[in-house]
Amino acid sequence: DAGVIQSPRHEVTEMGQEVTLRCKPISGHDYLFWYRQTMMRGLELLIYFNNNVPIDDSGMPEDRFSAKMPNASFSTLKIQPSEPRDSAVYFCASSLAQGISSYEQYFGPGTRLTVT
Amino acid sequence: GQQLNQSPQSMFIQEGEDVSMNCTSSSIFNTWLWYKQDPGEGPVLLIALYKAGELTSNGRLTAQFGITRKDSFLNISASIPSDVGIYFCAGPNNNAGNMLTFGGGTRLMVKP
């Protein structure tokens, strides 16, 4: 079975440009999570969805960040306008909603974003 | 909020040695998860623990759910170079849904 798929794997952009990161969760998973990882702050949860509905976006840094999940198999994280401090690795993860294994999150390979 | 403290922060060992690392919290967790992150990749789930005192193995890896439910341990036996990476512990954020709290990670380096 395919795992969580993210694209692009690497993105280099200039400050002020719009950046869109994409994620396809594992088929059948009900939860989708967006994380950001930096050396300074480690792994931070930005937002998560349950059945395509955003549940908690308290980790989203500011209004420049937005996330959508138009259907069960696709989500986007958009940064507009991007700034150098947004440079990080962004991960998408998914999990099942029910059962003892509902906390087991499965991560994608990440998108390494560099904003110059 | 909940915090998970991992120790050591980093380890540099010789190939073939056994490795032990732990994760502690000031609050109780009902589930413990251990992940490994290879350089340039996403975290991969290694072991999940659901019961206090539980001991679970995955190949050369063994993890234990502490009796107090405030700690967990991960051991790697006979380390090999591909064990290199960052090991994270995680547990449910009891305040919210299916969110996880992650530890800061233990960086393992193995000398051939």
Side-chain angles (χ1 to χ4, degrees), chain B residues 55-82:
Chain B
L55 192 69
T56 298
S57 293
N58 178 1
R60 293 178 296 105
L61 278 61
T62 301
Q64 183 164 21
F65 192 141
I67 288 291
T68 65
R69 293 196 283 160
K70 293 183 177 181
D71 55 13
S72 179
F73 306 89
L74 178 69
N75 296 315
I76 305 173
S77 62
S79 59
I80 59 178
S82 62

Side-chain angles (χ1 to χ4, degrees), chain B residues 17-48:
Chain B
E17 289 183 354
D18 296 343
V19 174
S20 290
M21 60 188 78
N22 67 65
C23 184
T24 60
S25 172
S26 58
S27 55
I28 287 173
F29 279 78
N30 293 315
T31 298
W32 289 92
L33 305 171
W34 284 93
Y35 287 84
K36 182 196 177 195
Q37 185 175 20
D38 288 332
E41 298 294 333
V44 173
L45 182 63
L46 298 173
I47 293 177

Side-chain angles (χ1 to χ4, degrees), chain A residues 31-62:
Chain A
Y31 280 89
L32 184 140
F33 305 82
W34 281 101
Y35 290 88
R36 178 172 67 177
Q37 187 178 42
T38 61
M39 289 291 290
M40 291 292 292
R41 300 174 68 90
L43 204 55
E44 302 173 276
L45 178 67
L46 301 177
I47 185 172
Y48 78 98
F49 296 82
N50 180 21
N51 290 325
N52 315 337
V53 176
I55 302 300
D56 189 327
D57 65 354
S58 59
M60 296 285 261
E62 47 200 271

